[in-house]
Amino acid sequence: MHSPHDTIAAIATAPGRGGVGIIRLSGTQAHAIAERIVSTLPPIRYARHVPFKHPNTGALIDDGLCLVFSAPHSYTGEDVVELQGHGGPVVLDHLLKLILQQGARLARPGEFTERAFLNGRMDLAQAEAVADLIDAGSQAAAQAASQALQGVFSERVHRVTQQLIALRMFIESALDFPEEEIDFLSDARLITQSQQLVDEIAELLSETQQGVLLREGMRVAIVGQPNAGKSSLLNQLAGDDRAIVTDIPGTTRDVLRAEIQIDGLPVHIIDTAGLRESDEPIEREGIRRAWREVEQADAVLFLQDDHRNNPDEDEKIRAMLPRKHTIWVFNKIDLSGRPAGFDQEKIHLGISAKTGAGIKELRAHLKEIMGYQSTEGGQFIARRRHLDALLGAQKEIISAHSALTTQSAGELAAESLRRAQLALDEITGKFTADDLLGEIFSNFCIGK
Ligand SMILES: Nc1nc2c(ncn2[C@@H]2O[C@H](COP(=O)(O)OP(=O)(O)OP(=O)(O)O)[C@@H](O)[C@H]2O)c(=O)[nH]1
Ligand SMILES: [Mg+2]
């Protein structure tokens, strides 16, 4: 078993060749082990250029900067050393091997950050933001991850928690005086506080939803009859010849994906096999997969050929589509003459996957249906896990509010608030199961 007291080491820079390669050590033995490699450690927090030598033979392996940090003032909160040498895989591996021979253990993925969390250097939401910053797929996502890392999200959760505790204490003190309980509980201040809490959690939820969107993006499936122009639309949106386009119906058999960005929001566009009756096994499998994508999508583009249409078939497909965000898109308007963009009722959208007409409106609409606002500076990144915890807390807060307002049931309200608090604590990791922690950190890269 790995002990939290082991000294751990890993190459912190990306694998492959690079100008600089960094090895990081953390733990009680970090200073002693590094000293055997660099002979004399530089003073704490001073960069010094030193030779890196074999501890037994004294042979020169590399040279570079050595940086020393002392607990608790380091990333992990432990003694830390960074050796910054040349970024070649052979030399870094050699150095790492020597460090491991001196008693360090190879760090697991995310173990440095896990230690930072366990040592109270950051809370769980901030630790997750470290990974999200590294994995960010767009500038907007990176910016939002950086906000969460600074603690913007945690601070918001903390504020709601404080409000919740204040309300809970108010109610619990009322319960201690049963003869006055009813008066206490109908106190206008109490109701106002409880209402504020309901509003506050709703606001936090909607900001968190935006944060999850920025991290995960939105899934948009394109479906329709063969030859409607689905693959052409994928190519048009991706700005690339991603999918094969021919005038043969049934060209696309498999599911194809392209990732695009709309104002920094990642959008996964999914092209599918044309929907029709078919006896051909490969095509049937493609159609089955198309329906699976429809189920998982956040929005569906139901594409119809506006030039050579086949309304009966389209009607059959329409009847099977889910009610969720389905956009009726009429393609090939360069042939049919329909105007580009939405009609008056904002139900039918005319586009041409060939000329690009109407595509701007389509992009704007996708952004709109996800409720995504791109300009907010304070937006933080978030995960589905956070959203689930907030939804759980919201449910409890709403039942507490109704217990207070409609039944004057203080005990019920207090119990709901207690459960809401536990749900909120899961976000920052004050109260989180070990296996969840393991799952979160194992998704990090090694060396972070
Ligand atoms: N004029 C015109 N032709 C288009 C447009 N979009 C697609 N086409 C043509 O329509 C034919 C079918 O296009 P695809 O993109 O392959 O259609 P699909 O829906 O992917 O077809 P399957 O994969 O067979 O289901 C091709 O010949 C395209 O060039 C358009 O907006 N205008
Ligand atoms: Mg196709």
Side-chain angles (χ1 to χ4, degrees):
M1 253 332 271
H2 291 154
S3 153
H5 306 294
D6 293 345
T7 295
I8 52 172
I11 299 170
T13 36
R17 297 173 340 138
V20 181
I22 300 178
I23 292 184
R24 205 187 221 177
L25 281 125
S26 179
T28 45
Q29 293 300 306
H31 291 181
I33 293 172
E35 195 160 28
R36 279 173 236 148
I37 307 265
V38 302
S39 307
T40 340
L41 285 181
I44 306 293
R45 288 169 176 267
Y46 277 87
R48 186 162 289 170
H49 182 219
V50 289
F52 301 157
K53 289 184 182 165
H54 193 296
N56 304 334
T57 66
L60 185 70
I61 295 158
D62 192 7
D63 65 296
L65 294 184
C66 176
L67 278 169
V68 181
F69 302 87
S70 232
H73 304 292
S74 70
Y75 181 72
T76 57
E78 304 173 328
D79 283 349
V80 166
V81 177
E82 271 187 21
L83 300 178
Q84 311 193 348
H86 295 90
V90 173
V91 68
L92 284 171
D93 282 345
H94 187 186
L95 205 54
L96 179 64
K97 203 168 92 194
L98 294 177
I99 287 169
L100 299 180
Q101 279 168 6
Q102 298 303 307
R105 153 171 81 70
L106 190 64
R108 282 179 280 117
E111 198 170 3
F112 290 92
T113 309
E114 184 175 3
R115 289 185 173 197
F117 163 67
L118 294 172
N119 292 323
R121 301 292 291 168
M122 55 178 77
D123 67 31
L124 194 54
Q126 287 175 299
E128 291 171 302
V130 170
D132 292 342
L133 180 57
I134 292 171
D135 295 337
S138 71
Q139 207 175 328
Q143 224 164 34
S146 167
Q147 290 284 333
L149 180 54
Q150 295 310 309
V152 173
F153 179 38
S154 307
E155 181 46 44
R156 293 290 310 275
V157 174
H158 183 69
R159 211 167 74 201
V160 176
T161 309
Q162 289 307 310
Q163 278 183 336
L164 192 147
I165 291 172
L167 182 63
R168 222 184 114 187
M169 278 165 52
F170 198 169
I171 297 169
E172 279 178 5
S173 61
L175 296 178
D176 291 340
F177 301 97
E179 59 287 357
E180 295 164 33
E181 184 187 330
I182 299 298
D183 288 348
F184 234 131
L185 291 178
S186 52
D187 189 322
R189 268 180 310 161
L190 191 75
I191 306 298
T192 317
Q193 266 192 34
S194 161
Q195 182 61 52
Q196 272 170 357
L197 192 57
V198 171
D199 297 344
E200 188 88 17
I201 190 114
E203 198 183 312
L204 182 55
L205 249 172
S206 97
E207 281 178 57
T208 305
Q209 255 149 2
Q210 300 270 308
V212 174
L213 252 183
L214 265 181
R215 181 170 182 271
E216 297 185 355
M218 134 187 220
R219 296 166 69 98
V220 179
I222 310 173
V223 296
Q225 290 186 51
N227 256 358
K230 300 177 294 299
S231 300
S232 306
L233 178 56
L234 176 89
N235 290 345
Q236 177 65 244
L237 287 166
D240 193 4
D241 256 349
R242 198 65 66 88
I244 301 172
V245 167
T246 72
D247 56 6
I248 305 164
T251 301
T252 308
R253 305 299 202 60
D254 214 337
V255 173
L256 283 169
R257 295 164 206 279
E259 181 150 330
I260 64 165
Q261 281 183 27
I262 302 179
D263 288 351
L265 171 71
V267 180
H268 313 279
I269 305 286
I270 300 155
D271 175 25
T272 61
L275 304 173
R276 66 171 169 188
E277 301 282 332
S278 169
D279 294 329
E280 212 272 312
I282 302 174
E283 189 174 9
R284 282 171 74 106
E285 175 59 19
I287 292 170
R288 195 187 66 77
R289 290 181 186 207
W291 283 111
R292 193 180 60 197
E293 291 302 328
V294 166
E295 264 167 44
Q296 293 170 355
D298 295 305
V300 177
L301 301 181
F302 175 27
L303 200 62
Q304 296 159 67
D305 186 332
D306 202 31
H307 176 58
R308 236 179 246 147
N309 47 17
N310 190 345
D312 291 347
E313 288 303 313
D314 278 333
E315 180 50 36
K316 275 191 213 157
I317 296 172
R318 192 201 58 76
M320 287 172 73
L321 286 173
R323 289 230 147 254
K324 70 179 162 194
H325 298 306
T326 297
I327 309 165
W328 290 46
V329 185
F330 292 91
N331 188 32
K332 310 194 187 181
I333 58 168
D334 53 304
L335 300 177
S336 70
R338 182 196 291 263
F342 274 105
D343 59 0
Q344 287 245 307
E345 290 80 36
K346 256 202 134 184
I347 296 174
H348 302 128
L349 178 73
I351 66 159
S352 168
K354 192 172 193 170
T355 67
I359 297 295
K360 204 171 75 201
E361 287 86 348
L362 174 60
R363 290 168 67 101
H365 186 66
L366 287 176
K367 196 176 112 179
E368 195 183 310
I369 56 176
M370 292 306 278
Y372 179 65
Q373 287 123 18
S374 48
T375 48
E376 274 183 43
Q379 178 61 55
F380 49 80
I381 208 151
R383 298 181 171 202
R384 212 154 279 259
R385 178 184 90 75
H386 305 145
L387 206 55
D388 291 343
L390 284 173
L391 284 168
Q394 184 185 45
K395 203 175 118 231
E396 297 295 346
I397 287 173
I398 288 173
S399 48
H401 185 65
S402 93
L404 284 178
T405 49
T406 63
Q407 313 161 33
S408 279
E411 214 134 341
L412 279 181
E415 175 56 20
S416 290
L417 290 177
R418 193 187 64 81
R419 282 201 293 259
Q421 193 179 337
L422 286 180
L424 290 178
D425 283 350
E426 272 178 35
I427 296 175
T428 50
K430 232 183 266 170
F431 170 78
T432 307
D434 280 352
D435 47 353
L436 176 65
L437 289 182
E439 191 190 310
I440 289 172
F441 287 106
S442 65
N443 285 312
F444 274 63
C445 45
I446 290 203
K448 194 64 220 179

